[in-house]
Structure formats: C-alpha cells, structure tokens
Amino acid sequence: MALPTLLLAVHGTREPRGSAAARRLAGAVAELTGAPVRLGFADVLAPDVGEVAAGIDGPVVVVPAFLAAGYHVRVDIPAQLHRAGRGDAVVTGALGEDDRLLQAAVRRLRRAGWRTGEAVVLAAAGSSDPDARAQVDQAAQRLSRRLGGAGVEVGYVATAEPAVAEAVRRLRARGHRRVALASWLLAPGLFHQRLAEAGADSVARPLLPDAGVAAAVAARYQAAALLAAV
Ligand SMILES: C[C@@]1(CC(=O)O)c2cc3[nH]c(cc4nc(cc5[nH]c(cc(n2)[C@H]1CCC(=O)O)[C@@](C)(CC(=O)O)[C@@H]5CCC(=O)O)C(CC(=O)O)=C4CCC(=O)O)c(CCC(=O)O)c3CC(=O)O
Ligand SMILES: [Co+2]
C-alpha cells in the first residue's frame, strides 16, 4: 500500500532564510521516510495547510513543525483542514517534547559560547494557550537538568509574559553575571531577530537545520502513518 503523504505544516515567515529552512527540513524528512512530502503554512504565507491537503490524493498525515501544541496546532491547522474538506487528515503532536529538539537547543547554546555556570533564558515564541506555555516550562526544566542544574527561565517574544528581556533582567537581579539565550524557535524569522535586543551575553541560533529535528518529524509521521492508512 502507498505511504500516506506527509504534510509538513510550518508557521510561515517573511524571512526568506526561514522558508529555506522549512524546505530543507521537508527534503531531509522525505529522505528519512521515503514518503511523499508536501509543505503547507499555518500563517503569513500561502498555500495554507488545508489548501495543500485538498490537492493530495489518499491519506494525509500532518506533522506540525511547531514546538508546542498551541493555537496554531490545536485550532488553526484543524480549521484549515476542515474548511478544505480534509478533516480526515491525521494531525500529529508538536515536536517540543521530543528529546532530539532539546539536544539541538543544547548544541546551539554551546556553540554560541555558553559555559557551565551561566544562566539561560529559553526564548520561545509565546502563546495565548496555557497548555502550550506549560509545554515550554517543561522544556525549560529538562534543559536545566541537561545543563547540570543551570538556572533556566522561560522568556517569550510575543503574546505571553515574561518577555525575553524581562527574563534576562530577572536572572541578573538574582545575581547571575552572565545570561545566555537559548532559542526555542525553529527557524530564522522575525521572532528570532528580536532576540538580539534582549540584553543577553550570547544568543544561540534557531534549531534548524538539524538532523535530530528531521528525525523527530519522521518519527511523528511513522507513528501516525499506521492510523492514517485506511
Ligand atoms: C496566534 C498568535 C498569538 C496567540 O497565541 O494568540 C501566534 C502564535 C504563535 N506563533 C508562533 C510561531 C511563530 N510566529 C511567527 C510569526 C508571527 N506570528 C504572528 C501572530 C501570531 N502568532 C498570533 C496570531 C495573531 C493573529 O493572526 O490573529 C504574526 C503573524 C503577526 C504578529 O506578530 O502579530 C507574526 C508574523 C510576522 C510577520 O512576518 O509579519 C513565526 C515566524 C517568524 O518568526 O517570522 C513563528 C515561528 C517561529 C519559529 O521559527 O519557531 C507560535 C509558536 C508555535 C510553536 O510552539 O512552535 C505560536 C503559539 C501558538 O501557536 O499558540
Ligand atoms: Co505566530
């Protein structure tokens, strides 16, 4: 039986390097899974996830390239699929709980110059969805353990508190002389650009491109493909 199509749902950005990162991720995932892979956008760019799904014959597995299951994953993408008559598509969970994403964040952090003893702000996009924010809090706790108990605070670029710059200030107020920013963002974009102004001593790059992130997407697809194939 033919493999279900893997529809990679990315947020969408006006930053061309962000779109290039998304296309490269789609290519890496196609290689890992051997499945037909298509790219759709939740916001900012077209075609949206529903429009892409409507043009696909046969079963579809949508893997959201999102770190937490917030508004876009839980509301926006399912609504796009319903509008397009593809409410049958299986939508997998977000990626942030997969340890490979955390490993990617740690690699970026070290490459940006983080040293043992420095405090860290895990900088996430921000969401109006409390469950999505709880998922980011959990990632911050896992990051702290992974860094040998380093002080880690969450900071948000938009929509939620504390803002990234405020999280940096709080750590300094608690006596941390050096504060590093870990990017809990997938790709270069407007949100990542804002991290440069947050007052940190170093800023890690976003998570993509990364083979572990591609493997996490492939794993989500493979687990769901069993359900999607009719
Ligand atoms: C729903 C909303 C707020 C709400 O939660 O209510 C929200 C939510 C989320 N966005 C997330 C991610 C990204 N957002 C952007 C960009 C933009 N996001 C904007 C709006 C909104 N985003 C609010 C809807 C307002 C509305 O449309 O009504 C834009 C259009 C306009 C603006 O800035 O207001 C601005 C475009 C800037 C431009 O190009 O002009 C990028 C791309 C980039 O950075 O360039 C990334 C990928 C970052 C990466 O690379 O990872 C995540 C994290 C998901 C995760 O966990 O991964 C969530 C959380 C969630 O889904 O809940
Ligand atoms: Co957004």
Side-chain angles (χ1 to χ4, degrees), residues 28-50:
V29 168
E31 227 163 79
L32 286 173
T33 58
V37 175
R38 304 285 305 278
L39 194 59
F41 300 96
D43 204 351
V44 184
L45 298 177
D48 77 28
V49 177

Side-chain angles (χ1 to χ4, degrees), residues 9 11 42 62-78 91-98 101 124-139 142 156 184 186 220:
H11 185 284
V62 177
V63 183
F66 286 77
L67 292 162
Y71 168 78
H72 290 301
V73 173
R74 299 219 296 210
V75 180
D76 200 20
I77 290 171
V91 182
T92 74
L95 302 174
E97 285 166 13
D98 191 302
L101 281 282
S127 176
S128 50
D129 183 328
D131 290 340
R133 297 198 301 273
Q135 288 171 31
V136 178
D137 286 336
Q138 278 162 19
R142 287 188 290 133
Y156 294 108
W184 200 233
L186 283 167
R220 286 284 193 226

Side-chain angles (χ1 to χ4, degrees), residues 13-14 51 73 78 90 93 99 106 114 134 136 148 153 167 173 184 186:
T13 177
R14 282 184 246 173
E51 288 162 355
V73 173
V90 174
D99 211 46
V106 170
W114 177 84
V136 178
E153 289 284 318
W184 200 233
L186 283 167

Side-chain angles (χ1 to χ4, degrees), residues 107-159:
R107 280 195 292 276
R108 294 283 184 269
L109 195 56
R110 290 188 189 282
R111 206 168 302 164
W114 177 84
R115 298 274 181 280
T116 304
E118 287 181 20
V120 175
V121 172
L122 184 64
S127 176
S128 50
D129 183 328
D131 290 340
R133 297 198 301 273
Q135 288 171 31
V136 178
D137 286 336
Q138 278 162 19
Q141 281 163 28
R142 287 188 290 133
L143 179 61
S144 174
R145 282 199 294 277
R146 180 68 60 108
L147 297 176
V152 178
E153 289 284 318
V154 170
Y156 294 108
V157 179
T159 318

Side-chain angles (χ1 to χ4, degrees), residues 1-5 57-61 86 88-90 224-230:
M1 192 190 313
L3 290 169
T5 299
D57 280 330
V60 174
V61 172
R86 290 301 320 243
D88 63 300
V90 174
L226 298 168
L227 298 173
V230 194

